[in-house]
């Protein structure tokens, strides 16, 4: 195995190297360079690869082993948290505030993290993916104020989560759980969460060996997907539905 990542050619449709060539240290670093054009991003996700780099670095492409995954029926909310949701006035929507969600993910301070990996270049790339109907956000509102959200990329019946944020305690949990509830009802079994941390594991994330993850991605991304805005599919959905373990997806409250 090489001790250096591969250098990508400039052509957006150029293939990535096989993921088994990814480095062990740092775990999963596969390639360097290229761009963030929609063809390259879609090709990367279809092969279990994602970009992750900081301001001032070249674009770095990763495929870590193991991979952090959620089953859409496996997101866990604690019983105390769910009881609190019974009184919640929060509402969930989708694809109505994508730019605000990705901006909040970039700007929200995180413990132990200096700065952000969601650079201006990354934001522009994923906003373009959103315009093309490939990137989506789930947003949690209190009235007209955005209190939480999550965004990612959908290909076929596979959702690749990128980042989430909370402006109020629990906002990101509600966004993730609402995303999982809707995806499950649409026939999406999995959400990729990329790299493990204690918070994700506490919410029900599992660690999958990379070969298992790649097999699932190959199968699910080959299936027919839901390209375009998801706003009408979700409508305005009350967070109180997450108060019960068995929850139904679908529009319920007034649309904004």
């Amino acid at each position: 195995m090489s001790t250096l990542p591969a250098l990508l050619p400039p052509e957006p449709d150029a293939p990535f190297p096989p993921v088994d060539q990814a480095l062990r240290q740092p775990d999963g670093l596969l390639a360097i360079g290229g761009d963030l054009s929609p063809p390259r991003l879609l090709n990367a996700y279809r092969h279990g690869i994602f970009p992750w780099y900081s301001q001032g670095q070249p674009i770095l492409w990763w495929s870590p082993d193991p991979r952090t995954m959620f089953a859409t029926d496996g997101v866990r909310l604690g019983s105390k948290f769910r009881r609190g949701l019974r009184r919640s006035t929060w509402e969930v929507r989708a694809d109505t505030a994508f730019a605000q969600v990705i901006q909040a993910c970039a700007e929200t301070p995180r413990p132990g993290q200096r700065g952000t990996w969601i650079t201006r270049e990354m934001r522009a790339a994923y906003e373009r993916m959103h315009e093309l109907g490939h990137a989506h956000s789930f947003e949690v509102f209190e009235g007209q104020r955005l209190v939480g959200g999550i965004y990612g990329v959908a290909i076929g019946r596979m959702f690749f989560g990128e980042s989430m944020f909370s402006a109020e305690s629990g906002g990101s949990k509600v966004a993730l759980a609402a995303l999982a509830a809707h995806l499950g009802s649409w026939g999406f079994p999995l959400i990729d969460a990329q790299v493990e941390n204690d918070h994700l594991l506490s919410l029900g994330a599992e660690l999958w060996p990379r070969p298992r993850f790649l097999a699932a991605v190959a199968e699910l991304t080959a299936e027919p997907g839901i390209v375009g805005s998801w706003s009408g599919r979700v409508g305005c959905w009350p967070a109180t539905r997450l108060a019960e373990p068995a929850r139904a997806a679908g529009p319920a409250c007034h649309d904004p």
Side-chain angles (χ1 to χ4, degrees):
M1 180 180 295
S2 173
T3 58
L4 295 173
L7 181 64
L8 291 181
E11 295 79 15
D13 58 351
F16 283 86
V19 294
D20 60 7
Q21 294 181 12
L23 304 185
R24 287 294 182 188
Q25 291 296 331
D27 179 36
L29 180 57
L30 176 68
I32 185 171
D35 59 18
L36 296 174
S37 63
R40 197 184 303 265
L41 283 171
L42 291 171
N43 185 33
Y45 284 108
R46 287 191 180 99
H47 292 87
I49 302 163
F50 59 88
W52 186 24
Y53 64 103
S54 299
Q55 187 70 42
Q57 292 181 326
I59 300 172
L60 304 176
W61 301 88
W62 303 78
S63 184
D65 186 13
R67 193 71 161 231
T68 306
M69 300 292 294
F70 282 101
T72 53
D73 62 357
V75 174
R76 294 196 302 259
L77 297 179
S79 57
K80 181 179 179 181
F81 185 80
R82 284 192 279 108
R83 285 196 301 271
L85 286 176
R86 293 171 187 164
R87 302 181 300 275
S88 175
T89 59
W90 289 357
E91 298 171 350
V92 178
R93 303 167 195 158
D95 286 345
T96 68
F98 185 90
Q100 290 128 286
V101 168
I102 194 170
Q103 179 177 350
C105 288
E107 295 178 353
T108 299
R110 302 175 194 273
Q113 179 176 307
R114 297 174 59 189
T116 178
W117 57 268
I118 306 175
T119 64
R120 185 177 302 175
E121 181 183 27
M122 288 278 275
R123 286 166 57 179
Y126 284 88
E127 287 174 15
R128 177 58 179 153
M129 290 278 281
H130 175 66
E131 292 170 0
L132 295 173
H134 302 301
H136 305 278
S137 59
F138 265 60
E139 310 119 14
V140 184
F141 285 91
E142 183 172 35
Q144 295 303 309
R145 188 167 75 94
L146 187 65
V147 297
I150 187 171
Y151 78 96
V153 173
I155 305 177
R157 298 287 168 173
M158 181 72 200
F159 191 86
F160 301 89
E162 276 294 315
S163 187
M164 58 185 182
F165 84 98
S166 291
E168 294 286 347
S169 178
S172 62
K173 289 183 183 180
V174 168
L176 172 63
L179 169 68
H182 284 81
L183 289 177
S185 73
W186 301 340
F188 288 63
L190 298 173
I191 300 171
D192 172 32
Q194 297 181 349
V195 180
E196 70 176 289
N197 61 47
D198 291 342
H199 179 60
L200 296 177
L201 296 176
S202 74
L203 293 172
E206 302 175 344
L207 300 182
W208 284 26
R210 187 165 55 204
R212 180 187 178 192
F213 165 73
L214 294 175
V217 167
E219 178 181 349
L220 293 171
T221 58
E223 295 185 10
I226 307 174
V227 179
S229 175
W230 289 358
S231 177
R233 287 178 169 266
V234 175
C236 185
W237 194 82
T240 52
R241 289 194 171 186
L242 296 171
E244 302 301 328
R247 64 263 185 183
C253 53
H254 63 86
D255 289 328

